[in-house]
Amino acid sequence: MSETHSELARSISVPRLLIRITAMLQIALGLVFWSGNAKGLVPVHVVSGIIFVISLWTLAYAAKKHGVSTGLVAFTAVWGLIIPALGASQTSILHGSAHWVIQVLHLLVGLAGMALAEQLTTRVSPTTA
């Protein structure tokens, strides 16, 4: 591979940092929403989620470029489609007292995306993680 160590580190660290920042924001906003407050911040949650998914895909691309298995990269890319699909449709699924199930599922899907990002990062190079 023709990339230097610093280019490799940057190709992984920038999307990883964006994933970590947006993940914290997503969780914080989600907790605020669950408490019934700040519904006006939903657009911030949506934009942050979009940045999260684009960063996840960018990380998957970089990981593939650096030899991470196609299976994990493909799974991560598909998971990146599931996250916004569930997020965008969750308000129309299981209304009423059962809606909490969808909210928890949405949280778990996002957390899994975070775990996939960490998995990709460590598989690229433990020294850049």
Side-chain angles (χ1 to χ4, degrees):
M1 293 185 194
S2 61
E3 249 183 329
T4 67
H5 178 73
S6 65
E7 289 169 333
L8 171 62
R10 189 174 48 252
S11 72
I12 299 305
S13 64
V14 171
R16 183 182 190 195
L17 178 63
L18 285 172
I19 287 167
R20 287 179 168 183
I21 290 169
T22 55
M24 288 186 295
L25 181 59
Q26 292 298 86
I27 291 169
L29 287 172
L31 290 172
V32 170
F33 299 152
W34 276 358
S35 72
N37 297 303
K39 296 292 184 183
L41 292 177
V42 169
V44 175
H45 188 70
V46 170
V47 170
S48 177
I50 291 168
I51 294 168
F52 176 86
V53 169
I54 290 170
S55 298
L56 185 62
W57 286 334
T58 302
L59 184 59
Y61 174 78
K64 179 59 186 157
K65 190 174 168 186
H66 295 289
V68 174
S69 74
T70 301
L72 179 59
V73 169
F75 183 77
T76 302
V78 170
W79 202 259
L81 292 171
I82 293 169
I83 295 169
L86 180 60
S89 64
Q90 74 171 333
T91 57
S92 63
I93 304 172
L94 284 179
H95 296 284
S97 63
H99 185 65
W100 69 269
V101 173
I102 297 303
Q103 291 173 317
V104 170
L105 180 62
H106 182 60
L107 171 63
L108 293 175
V109 166
L111 290 173
M114 295 170 209
L116 285 167
E118 292 301 317
Q119 191 67 222
L120 288 171
T121 302
T122 57
R123 292 206 183 177
V124 168
S125 172
T127 60
T128 62

